[in-house]
Amino acid sequence: MITVTTTWRLTLEVKSSSESNTKALANALATDERVHWHNESTSFSFSLNESKAKDLRAMWNTRVRGLIAVDSLLGVLGNPPQGEDSSKAID
């Protein structure tokens, strides 16, 4: 008897608006995934492998939601506070 095992796999390559933001996104995955750096550390990728599609979908959703949350936080931290004119020079 021959048993065929199907493995589901998804790979995501990530590159943010800056090198430091890309590193922050990779760090957010540090405890969950092994990342593979590309292009002189300007982007990275990670892959998920699962035997069941529903398990892969759950893992994918968790990882992507985490990346979205970190990216949103980086966006907020990168913008000047409300009401502050960023065009004014600091004396």
Side-chain angles (χ1 to χ4, degrees):
M1 178 179 196
I2 298 175
T3 303
V4 178
T5 303
T6 302
T7 300
W8 294 86
R9 178 183 181 135
L10 282 171
T11 301
L12 177 65
E13 185 168 343
V14 179
K15 182 176 183 179
S16 190
S17 58
S18 70
E19 188 175 325
S20 62
N21 284 0
T22 302
K23 287 181 182 179
L25 291 170
N27 289 339
L29 293 170
T31 60
D32 300 318
E33 298 301 327
R34 181 178 210 172
V35 299
H36 305 280
W37 287 98
H38 307 285
N39 304 324
E40 300 176 13
S41 297
T42 60
S43 68
F44 69 90
S45 64
F46 69 95
S47 296
L48 300 172
N49 298 290
E50 294 291 337
S51 60
K52 295 180 181 177
K54 68 178 185 171
D55 293 341
L56 180 64
R57 179 181 115 359
M59 297 295 284
W60 180 256
N61 285 343
T62 300
R63 301 306 182 269
V64 171
R65 284 182 184 140
L67 290 172
I68 290 169
V70 171
D71 187 60
S72 294
L73 178 61
L74 292 171
V76 169
L77 294 176
N79 293 327
Q82 292 278 340
E84 183 176 317
D85 186 353
S86 62
S87 65
K88 291 181 181 176
I90 298 174
D91 295 329

